[in-house]
């Protein structure tokens, strides 16, 4: 016989009689998996937010009547466009989603999903439409204007930011919908 923590194991039991034991319900496993994925998308959303805030640094300094550091003046960053300003409040959708994860609050998760769609994905798609002519000229013409003080074209960097933002928002929406479906399966089973 094999020894266990509480003494000897019952005779006739070799440890292979586990088939009768309960398994974790699938919706709990999906909930844990998608919570982790949503947290990653929230992290990437915050990174995009910080990059956008850094891009707005000269405009923020100008708005607050603070002297603009010389290295920011040398970059000659363009003023924010309307779609960029409309995108900034999208971080609220991620905050609502983050708050909903601890207690499985589906109402806050719905609000985060709607905020991500309306304040996040819609302005990013408008930004793609806005940047399209520059990208088209960059791809089909050999000459691309590089801003003084920068080693790259700010419009192309914005295009790269937009492609990343589209992916982050689409994954966020997908994982949030998966999480909502896992939570509603669990609540429907509890009601029965």
């Amino acid at each position: 016989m094999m020894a266990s923590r509480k003494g000897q194991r019952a005779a006739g039991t070799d440890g292979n009689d586990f088939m009768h034991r309960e398994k974790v319900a699938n919706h709990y496993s999906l909930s844990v998996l998608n919570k982790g994925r949503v947290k990653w998308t929230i992290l990437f959303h915050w990174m995009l937010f910080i990059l956008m805030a850094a891009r707005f640094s000269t405009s923020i300094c100008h708005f607050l009547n603070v002297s603009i550091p010389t290295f920011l003046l040398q970059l000659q960053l363009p003023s924010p466009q309307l779609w960029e300003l409309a995108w900034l409040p999208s971080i609220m959708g991620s905050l609502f989603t983050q708050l909903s994860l601890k207690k499985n609050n589906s109402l806050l998760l719905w609000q985060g999903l709607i905020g991500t769609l309306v304040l996040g994905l819609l302005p990013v798609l408008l930004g793609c439409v806005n940047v399209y002519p520059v990208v088209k000229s960059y791809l089909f013409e050999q000459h691309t204007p590089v801003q003084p003080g920068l080693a790259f074209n700010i419009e192309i960097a914005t295009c790269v930011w937009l492609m990343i933002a589209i992916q982050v928002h689409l994954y966020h929406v997908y994982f949030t919908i998966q999480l909502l479906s896992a939570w509603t399966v669990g609540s429907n089973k509890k009601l029965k």
Side-chain angles (χ1 to χ4, degrees):
M1 277 194 195
M2 295 181 70
S4 67
R5 189 182 304 176
K6 296 179 182 176
Q8 291 184 346
R9 189 178 304 170
T13 303
D14 62 354
N16 289 326
D17 59 344
F18 59 87
M19 297 303 288
H20 70 283
R21 296 183 187 147
E22 293 184 27
K23 294 182 180 178
V24 175
N26 192 32
H27 65 274
Y28 290 121
S29 301
L30 287 175
S31 177
V32 169
L33 178 67
N34 287 311
K35 275 184 181 183
R37 290 174 173 172
V38 167
K39 287 178 184 178
W40 276 106
T41 61
I42 291 171
L43 175 70
F44 287 124
H45 192 169
W46 274 103
M47 287 183 197
L48 290 170
F49 182 80
I50 290 169
L51 282 174
M52 187 62 77
R55 181 179 155 354
F56 289 166
S57 56
T58 56
S59 300
I60 292 170
C61 290
H62 183 69
F63 179 74
L64 296 174
N65 289 329
V66 177
S67 64
I68 301 171
T70 56
F71 72 93
L72 287 177
L73 287 174
Q74 291 172 351
L75 291 178
Q76 297 179 356
L77 294 172
S79 59
Q81 297 176 4
L82 187 60
W83 70 266
E84 294 170 324
L85 294 173
W87 180 84
L88 283 178
S90 71
I91 201 69
M92 295 302 293
S94 287
L95 288 175
F96 284 140
T97 303
Q98 182 67 37
L99 292 173
S100 73
L101 295 179
K102 188 172 184 181
K103 298 275 186 174
N104 293 356
N105 188 338
S106 59
L107 177 64
L108 275 177
L109 193 61
W110 270 109
Q111 291 172 348
L113 177 63
I114 292 169
T116 300
L117 285 171
V118 174
L119 300 173
L121 198 56
L122 186 62
V124 167
L125 293 175
L126 291 173
C128 287
V129 171
N130 191 23
V131 172
Y132 175 73
V134 175
V135 172
K136 183 180 172 187
S137 69
Y138 177 77
L139 291 175
F140 297 116
E141 297 174 11
Q142 297 303 323
H143 133 311
T144 175
V146 176
Q147 290 191 244
L150 293 176
F152 55 89
N153 185 339
I154 195 74
E155 296 295 332
I156 301 304
T158 302
C159 181
V160 170
W161 184 93
L162 284 168
M163 294 300 114
I164 295 170
I166 285 174
Q167 292 179 31
V168 167
H169 289 310
L170 287 177
Y171 279 125
H172 183 86
V173 167
Y174 176 74
F175 294 141
T176 302
I177 290 172
Q178 294 296 315
L179 195 55
L180 279 169
S181 68
W183 288 355
T184 53
V185 166
S187 63
N188 288 343
K189 285 184 179 179
K190 290 177 186 175
L191 292 176
K192 291 181 181 178

